[in-house]
Every structure is written in C-alpha cells, then in structure tokens.
Amino acid sequence: QCNGNRFAYKGMGTQRVEEEIKKLFPGTPVRRMDQDTTYRKDSHYEILKGFASKDFNLLLGTQMVTKGLDFPDVTLVGVILADTSLDFPDFRAREKTFQLLTQVAGRAGRGKLGGEVILQTYYPEDWAIKLSAEQNFQEFYKKEIEERKELFYPPFSRLVLIRFQGKEEVKVQKAAESFGVKLTESLKSKGYSLKSKSIQILGPTSSPLPKIKNDYRFQILVKTKEVRTVTQTINSIFEKGAEKRYSGVKISIDVDPLDIM
C-alpha cells in the first residue's frame, strides 16, 4: 500500500522469547521445550511431567507443544507469529496454518476453568487466522475449497512433482529445462492443451528450498486430471536415453506429493 520496496523478515527464537518472559514475569518458573532442550533421551517426558505436576507455570516451545497435550489446568495459550506458515509457497499453507492454530488453541480450556487464546499476527484479516481464532471449521472449508477449485489444485486435480538435484547448479537447471521442453512437446503431440483444466505445467523453476546439503534443486509441478497419461509420458522420456542425457543429475518423480517444498 505504501509503494515501498523495502522488506523486513521478522522472526523470534524461543530463547529470545524466554528472555522476554522472564522480564515480564520475574520469579515465575518457566521451561523451554525445543530442539536444544530435548536432545537427551526422555527430556520431553521430564519437561511435560514437571509441567503436569506444576513445578513450573509457563511452558514455552516450538510446534512440539501444540499437539496431543491434555492439561486441564491450562487456561491461557499464546502464539507468537501465528502467520509464519502462511508465507510458504505451498497451496496447503492456509490449511496447515489453520490446522496448527486450532490444535494449539485446543490446549487451553480443557478443564472446568475455561480458557483463552491470544494470537499475535501481522495478518489479522487473513481468513485462515480469523477462522482459526473462531474455530469455524465449516467456513474455512468453504473458502479453502473455492480457492482450490479456482486454482486447479487438489482435490480438483492431482499433482506430479518432478524434482532435479545435483552438485552443479547450471547442469541441474539445464536438465530441468530440457526435460520440461520434452514433456511439453510430448503432451502437445497427444493433443493436450497445457492451459486447459486437464493438464497444467508449472516450471521448470528453482525449488522453494533451492539448495539442501550442497545439492541444487529445480522442479516441475504438473497439475492434472490425466495422471496416468502424465506418468506414462514421463516414463517414455526416460526410456529414450534420459539417464545418459541427464548424467550427474538425480531426477525423482512424486505423484500426489505431501510436500512440494
């Protein structure tokens, strides 16, 4: 709205939050539950046992404290940066955000005392945030399913993720581009329009996580109602000497991927 071009990426680690809590509530026992404090065997159990027996009043943690915990005396849950997962380049981002927030909200008010949930967010008007605060599952489904239909995402299509990775970025990119051209040409030769509601191809492009463990990553995402045709076309490309043509590049095919990152 301000037409500016400066972006600030905000975040806050659990250690920093712990420091602030100790300033706000001096003398109040608090325990932190994250990767740093739970690497030892049985450390999860020890922390939760201490919370259940009221050795400390405040439990601070990452997503590991959001699911499956039943403490009837918990009356307040707070979520910092409740919108972080909304920014992931994944069509399930809102669904995952809604799921996480409704789960963590369910940790409060499980007993006779009732409960309160406070969400801190930079996107208070986003419907995933608002509806999770309201625990309005039906309205969330209605909005989510309408958007999925408009954008041709599951359940209105199926996904095929083709991922390319290797040590040399240029080689990986060229392999993805070459494969993308062959896939497009092959599908067009079979009479498919790639702008239709039958098959759509996104990419090739750098993966949302472009490099993992020194491997560069590119990907092609196919949205389709003709998944058998797409997989058969991909197989035919491999049968025509793809192993030699894409030497040094690992290619993986994932039908109905749970993760497109």
Side-chain angles (χ1 to χ4, degrees):
Q1 290 177 342
C2 69
N3 295 316
N5 57 10
R6 296 176 63 188
F7 292 86
Y9 296 92
K10 298 183 181 297
M12 187 172 290
T14 50
Q15 288 178 308
R16 173 70 185 280
V17 176
E18 183 180 26
E19 293 173 4
E20 295 297 324
I21 285 177
K22 288 180 178 179
K23 292 178 184 177
L24 291 168
F25 306 101
T28 301
V30 56
R31 288 290 300 273
R32 179 162 50 90
M33 189 171 173
D34 56 19
Q35 191 171 1
D36 292 334
T37 62
T38 57
Y39 65 91
R40 291 183 296 105
K41 183 181 179 181
D42 296 327
S43 53
H44 289 84
Y45 173 76
E46 292 171 4
I47 294 172
L48 295 177
K49 182 181 178 182
F51 190 54
S53 59
K54 301 181 182 179
D55 295 340
F56 56 95
N57 297 334
L58 294 171
L59 176 62
L60 163 70
T62 54
Q63 291 186 18
M64 63 177 68
V65 303
T66 66
K67 302 175 183 178
L69 303 181
D70 185 8
F71 297 111
D73 291 334
V74 171
T75 56
L76 176 65
V77 166
V79 183
I80 297 173
L81 293 173
D83 46 53
T84 303
S85 55
L86 282 178
D87 293 326
F88 280 84
D90 185 335
F91 74 96
R92 300 185 185 94
R94 275 197 172 95
E95 177 188 354
K96 291 178 179 178
T97 299
F98 181 85
Q99 181 186 55
L100 180 64
L101 294 179
T102 52
Q103 283 178 335
V104 71
R107 301 314 101 202
R110 301 179 72 84
K112 295 180 180 179
L113 296 175
E116 183 179 6
V117 181
I118 299 174
L119 305 180
Q120 181 269 314
T121 173
Y122 288 99
Y123 305 128
E125 297 305 315
D126 188 278
W127 48 265
I129 302 290
K130 292 179 68 175
L131 296 175
S132 64
E134 297 170 5
Q135 299 280 290
N136 192 335
F137 295 86
Q138 290 185 333
E139 186 64 21
F140 176 80
Y141 171 80
K142 180 181 177 182
K143 287 182 173 294
E144 181 73 6
I145 207 70
E146 287 174 355
E147 188 169 274
R148 297 273 186 99
K149 184 176 183 180
E150 181 179 354
L151 298 176
F152 193 47
Y153 274 114
F156 302 99
S157 68
R158 295 182 65 185
L159 301 182
V160 180
L161 179 65
I162 312 168
R163 181 165 286 141
F164 307 80
Q165 61 186 69
K167 303 298 181 185
E168 300 178 39
E169 183 177 12
V170 173
K171 181 180 287 189
V172 177
Q173 181 176 357
K174 287 184 176 180
E177 291 172 348
S178 172
F179 198 98
V181 169
K182 293 184 180 299
L183 178 61
T184 299
E185 290 176 347
S186 297
L187 290 172
K188 283 184 176 179
S189 69
K190 295 179 181 181
Y192 288 97
S193 169
L194 303 188
K195 293 183 179 180
S196 68
K197 285 292 185 179
S198 179
I199 298 178
Q200 295 179 11
I201 297 178
L202 304 180
T205 185
S206 180
S207 297
L209 297 175
K211 189 178 182 182
I212 296 179
K213 294 182 179 179
N214 296 320
D215 272 354
Y216 292 93
R217 307 164 83 240
F218 284 76
Q219 66 186 42
I220 297 171
L221 184 66
V222 184
K223 298 188 286 186
T224 182
K225 291 183 177 179
E226 308 287 344
V227 68
R228 184 179 295 274
T229 297
V230 172
T231 54
Q232 288 176 346
T233 303
I234 291 171
N235 287 334
S236 69
I237 296 174
F238 279 115
E239 290 170 358
K240 297 176 182 178
E243 292 181 3
K244 294 181 179 179
R245 194 161 56 246
Y246 306 121
S247 176
V249 178
K250 179 182 177 181
I251 305 175
S252 61
I253 314 298
D254 191 353
V255 179
D256 300 324
L258 294 177
D259 180 9
I260 61 174
M261 296 291 289

